[in-house]
Amino acid sequence: MRKSLITALVAVLVLFSYGFGTSRWDHVWYIAGGLGLVCAGNALFIFIDKWILGDKGRFWTNKERSVSRSHEAMQYWVAAVALCIPAMAGLLLK
């Protein structure tokens, strides 16, 4: 989960530097909001997939996954929450 948090924080820093440098906060809002929605959608899909399949590898095999689906979904939720910060700033400063 640390890797996804670091990646999301780097994206936040890049978006804030772009926003402060160009004063185009509408771009920051679109990019951060879009990426946040994609991350939240992926997390929701993985939670539904865990509900259906559990931690099996595929639908027709019983092999366990090396990384559990709940851990993978939490990584996407962390990234989505981190990307909400520049999206809200872009919305307020637009």
Side-chain angles (χ1 to χ4, degrees):
M1 187 155 48
R2 191 174 297 157
K3 187 189 298 185
S4 63
L5 180 63
I6 291 171
T7 304
L9 289 179
V10 167
V12 166
L13 288 175
V14 168
L15 287 168
F16 271 125
S17 64
Y18 175 77
F20 283 121
T22 62
S23 296
R24 297 296 308 259
W25 289 101
D26 55 338
H27 290 176
V28 173
W29 180 59
Y30 290 134
I31 293 169
L35 287 175
L37 285 176
V38 166
C39 287
N42 281 341
L44 184 63
F45 174 74
I46 290 171
F47 271 132
I48 292 171
D49 197 33
K50 179 178 173 41
W51 180 57
I52 294 170
L53 295 177
D55 278 331
K56 293 189 308 186
R58 295 200 169 117
F59 190 68
W60 53 84
T61 63
N62 286 328
K63 190 170 123 181
E64 291 292 320
R65 294 175 52 93
S66 59
V67 177
S68 71
R69 283 189 167 88
S70 11
H71 181 69
E72 191 176 351
M74 286 305 296
Q75 288 178 341
Y76 280 113
W77 279 120
V78 165
V81 168
L83 286 168
C84 283
I85 296 167
M88 289 297 147
L91 183 65
L92 292 175
L93 296 173
K94 183 170 90 164

